[in-house]
Amino acid sequence: MRFEAGTEIAADAQRVWAVLIDVQRWPEWTASVSQIERGEPGPLTVGATARLTQPKLRPAVWRVTELTEGRDFTWVSEAPGVRTRAEHRLLPLPDGRTRVELAIAQSGPLAGPVGWLYGGLLRRYLRLEADGLKRRSELG
């Protein structure tokens, strides 16, 4: 199961990245996240963790598995029977704007049923995140 959302933001990639990578502040600009607690201090790096609380979902611990500074990061959360991978990618556009692409991919024996039960909610949360990132980054 894979769900995607994207948007174009009237801000450069450096500005959008600064908003995106400051995960502790996500509850300020997206209704898809009500609380985030970092597992360790400092910048988000590969191996870093964060506990996300989202409306209508159980709290989950996410671990950063890939990060290219200024460009993208991916983190993974494991639950019995399902592994969820969330991708956050920025693509600088020639006119100084930025395209953001967000995706959630689920795998494992329960990925199908979980996707069927929560697919609509996950699509909505990706849209809220993309739209909130756009609003916050354009405040600049």
Side-chain angles (χ1 to χ4, degrees):
M1 303 295 294
R2 184 174 173 88
F3 309 99
E4 299 177 347
T7 193
E8 291 186 5
I9 300 173
D12 65 27
Q14 183 178 358
R15 166 71 184 151
V16 179
W17 179 256
V19 173
L20 180 65
I21 202 71
D22 189 3
V23 297
Q24 287 175 276
R25 298 187 76 167
W26 284 14
E28 296 175 12
W29 53 262
T30 180
S32 65
V33 177
S34 51
Q35 184 177 359
I36 293 187
E37 301 167 34
R38 285 287 311 278
E40 46 291 303
L44 203 63
T45 58
V46 171
T49 60
R51 183 176 188 269
L52 267 72
T53 304
Q54 297 181 272
K56 301 181 183 181
L57 296 174
R58 290 184 176 194
V61 174
W62 293 81
R63 178 176 303 280
V64 177
T65 57
E66 301 169 38
L67 188 145
T68 304
E69 186 67 34
R71 175 81 70 186
D72 61 63
F73 83 91
T74 299
W75 56 13
V76 172
S77 180
E78 307 267 352
V82 65
R83 179 179 194 260
T84 304
R85 174 184 164 97
E87 303 165 6
H88 311 78
R89 181 167 294 113
L90 304 183
L91 303 166
L93 299 173
D95 60 2
R97 294 177 307 126
T98 303
R99 171 136 187 98
V100 63
E101 296 177 350
L102 307 173
I104 290 185
Q106 295 181 312
S107 59
L110 295 180
V114 168
W116 184 77
L117 287 170
Y118 292 99
L121 183 67
L122 294 176
R123 281 186 196 91
R124 182 171 167 262
Y125 282 2
L126 284 170
R127 184 79 264 144
L128 285 169
E129 185 179 331
D131 293 347
L133 180 59
K134 176 180 175 67
R135 278 190 308 276
R136 185 60 162 252
S137 297
E138 289 178 352
L139 286 176

